[in-house]
Amino acid sequence: MTPQSILTNFGQISLHQKILFIALPMIISNITTPLMGLVDTAVLGHMSGLHFIAGASVASLIITQLYWLCGFVRMSSTGLSAQAKGSNSLLLKNQSLFQSLLISIILGALLLLLHKPILGLGLYFAGPEPLVKEVMLEYFFTRIWGAPAALGNLALIGWLIGQQKTKQVLIIQILANVLNVILNVAFVYGLGLEVFGVALASVLAEYFIFLSSFVVALKALGKPFVLRQWFSFKQLRPLLSLNGNTFVRNLILQCCIGFLVFTGVGFGPTDAAINAILMQFFTLIALGLDGVAYAAEALVGEQKGRNDHAKILQVSLHGLVWSGVVALLYCAIFAIFGAQITAVLTDQVSLQTAMQDYIIVVLWLPIVAHWCFFFDGVFVGLTKAKAMRNSMLVSAVLFYFPVFWLLAAYQNQALWMALLVFMLARGISLAGYFTYLCRTQKLGA
């Protein structure tokens, strides 16, 4: 595709509409997803004792991190589903769904089998007081029974995104949040189940999402069927390799974020609080950028399924523009309302004052981050997990940790400068490899 044809095709309104049609429901869904946790927190926060919210929050964090590490299931499911849609193969659509479901259910079963040592590790690092520990035990041992559904949801939602069914994903998420609110009120205030009731409400909401998503997926297939040979090791090996590389990618990222959080705690309570606020800004950024990345996953994967090199490039360039637009909107909003957002997150004047030294980080975060967010989406669609893994590894080893050590005298600010360089390195490396694939005509390979 020549530069002239790219410019000519950029005015193609239908493709812009398609990107927004996928991205906007996922952005809204991303915004509503944390509501489930907020409802739990609100209910726990009104119980008679701080140990309720403290214990449940730590236990919930452990479970959330476990699910996040298993996020490779969603990413591989989306890429394979999108490619199956592009190839218009009913066989591949069914295979991508049921193979991903098998992997997710096995992982969920493993979490159930290993839940005691996992919690034991969490208790070791948390070192909770007796009352907090008691709440952690009750919440975790109840909530963990939702693991098969929660991991199954990763496979199902990923598959639905690949099939461009983001509107249905949004509706299911909203209904699940409403159900969670109703069950919280019924179990806690109606039946007096306290922590057990809060955890049980989340578990039931997760199974609701699973069943609803499964029904929508079956309807989308029209003629669902399962072949036994799909589940042989030979047939599963490509998916296992894809998931393995994506898992390593997620683990490296988690290590980098964990290093930032725990090192910041070592710098003192003020820096730890600042980092907590900055992570909330980062979460807000992710809500929007992930939506565009999901659109890239679905549309790039679809064109790879058709083996259409030119269309992959066209979709990627259109999506990159929208990712940049979202990033600039965030930058403008933070420039105008950054102080007000900080005031919502904390009413401590000293902390608000300290945050002024980090406003430049807040402004640069979306501009720098959108490149790696978007190209992650492109490479998910291309199912090139090895490239994502290598980019993450190189960026962490050669940029993140060295930059922090070089700037260590700046302490907490060095952590965030290193994170910015880390994300920039990821964006540049992925964009560079994408350019190589373009020039060698290997995008559709």
Side-chain angles (χ1 to χ4, degrees):
M1 183 174 283
T2 64
Q4 184 178 359
S5 65
I6 291 172
L7 289 174
T8 302
N9 290 323
F10 189 76
Q12 187 179 340
I13 301 299
S14 60
L15 185 51
H16 288 292
Q17 289 174 333
K18 204 168 187 180
I19 291 170
L20 293 176
F21 179 79
I22 297 172
L24 289 177
M26 291 313 302
I27 291 172
I28 299 171
S29 179
N30 287 343
I31 293 170
T32 62
T33 298
L35 292 178
M36 195 177 292
L38 288 175
V39 170
D40 290 356
T41 301
V43 172
L44 290 161
H46 286 81
M47 292 182 183
S48 58
L50 293 176
H51 60 282
F52 286 110
I53 191 170
S57 297
V58 175
S60 179
L61 179 63
I62 295 170
I63 290 172
T64 301
Q65 293 305 304
L66 289 173
Y67 293 167
W68 192 90
L69 282 174
C70 295
F72 58 85
V73 174
R74 187 209 64 77
M75 299 170 82
S76 62
S77 180
T78 299
L80 293 172
S81 170
Q83 290 175 22
K85 177 179 173 61
S87 66
N88 200 27
S89 168
L90 185 60
L91 176 71
L92 291 178
K93 288 180 182 180
N94 279 274
Q95 183 178 349
S96 62
L97 174 63
F98 290 110
Q99 281 188 333
S100 295
L101 272 176
L102 174 68
I103 298 296
S104 66
I105 290 171
I106 290 173
L107 286 171
L110 282 174
L111 289 183
L112 284 179
L113 287 173
L114 300 174
H115 72 278
K116 288 185 178 179
I118 289 171
L119 180 59
L121 194 63
L123 290 170
Y124 173 78
F125 284 109
E129 297 177 354
L131 286 176
V132 174
K133 180 180 178 180
E134 185 179 338
V135 173
M136 283 182 65
L137 291 170
E138 185 174 10
Y139 186 91
F140 184 89
F141 286 146
T142 304
R143 183 80 188 275
I144 196 64
W145 287 100
L151 296 187
N153 291 337
L154 294 176
L156 286 166
I157 289 172
W159 190 87
L160 290 172
I161 292 171
Q163 295 297 306
Q164 301 175 23
K165 303 290 184 182
T166 53
K167 183 179 178 181
Q168 288 86 335
V169 172
L170 171 60
I171 293 170
I172 290 170
Q173 187 62 57
I174 291 174
L175 291 175
N177 286 326
V178 172
L179 177 64
N180 187 52
V181 172
I182 293 171
L183 292 177
N184 261 294
V185 172
F187 290 159
V188 176
Y189 299 109
L191 301 177
L193 297 179
E194 295 190 321
V195 173
F196 174 73
V198 173
L200 181 60
S202 295
V203 170
L204 293 176
E206 285 164 346
Y207 277 98
F208 170 82
I209 294 173
F210 179 84
L211 293 173
S212 301
S213 301
F214 189 58
V215 169
V216 172
L218 293 181
K219 186 177 179 181
L221 284 171
K223 295 180 179 180
F225 59 88
V226 179
L227 300 181
R228 195 162 77 178
Q229 60 261 35
W230 292 344
F231 308 114
S232 66
F233 179 73
K234 183 179 180 180
Q235 290 273 350
L236 285 170
R237 186 161 55 184
L239 178 58
L240 293 173
S241 175
L242 179 63
N243 282 334
N245 287 323
T246 312
F247 171 74
V248 173
R249 175 254 182 209
N250 290 354
L251 187 61
I252 296 169
L253 178 59
Q254 190 70 1
C255 288
C256 292
I257 297 296
F259 178 82
L260 185 151
V261 171
F262 287 111
T263 304
V265 170
F267 292 144
T270 299
D271 286 331
I274 287 172
N275 290 348
I277 293 172
L278 287 173
M279 288 305 295
Q280 291 303 311
F281 275 100
F282 189 70
T283 300
L284 287 172
I285 292 167
L287 296 177
L289 295 182
D290 267 342
V292 181
Y294 289 150
E297 293 173 14
L299 296 175
V300 168
E302 180 183 19
Q303 298 308 323
K304 183 180 179 180
R306 295 172 180 167
N307 197 26
D308 193 330
H309 172 96
K311 280 286 188 179
I312 293 173
L313 178 57
Q314 187 181 356
V315 166
S316 299
L317 293 177
H318 278 68
L320 183 59
V321 169
W322 281 108
S323 181
V325 168
V326 172
L328 290 172
L329 283 173
Y330 271 118
C331 188
I333 290 169
F334 292 159
I336 299 169
F337 301 109
Q340 289 88 334
I341 296 172
T342 301
V344 170
L345 295 172
T346 178
D347 59 358
Q348 297 185 31
V349 177
S350 61
L351 196 53
Q352 293 175 4
T353 303
M355 271 294 297
Q356 293 176 7
D357 293 333
Y358 291 83
I359 189 64
I360 190 67
V361 173
V362 172
L363 295 179
W364 274 107
L365 266 176
I367 303 299
V368 173
H370 94 91
W371 295 90
C372 57
F373 271 79
F374 178 76
F375 278 106
D376 270 345
V378 170
F379 280 92
V380 166
L382 295 174
T383 55
K384 293 189 178 296
K386 190 178 292 186
M388 296 167 63
R389 179 203 67 190
N390 292 344
S391 169
M392 189 72 74
L393 181 61
V394 168
S395 299
V397 173
L398 298 185
F399 293 93
Y400 181 71
F401 292 106
V403 167
F404 171 71
W405 288 322
L406 284 172
L407 302 175
Y410 293 95
Q411 294 192 329
N412 198 58
Q413 289 182 336
L415 286 171
W416 288 94
M417 285 187 277
L419 185 68
L420 287 172
V421 172
F422 167 68
M423 289 189 294
L424 182 62
R426 284 182 57 215
I428 290 174
S429 58
L430 289 172
Y433 187 57
F434 180 82
T435 302
Y436 163 78
L437 293 175
C438 287
R439 290 179 175 175
T440 55
Q441 296 287 310
K442 293 180 180 178
L443 279 177

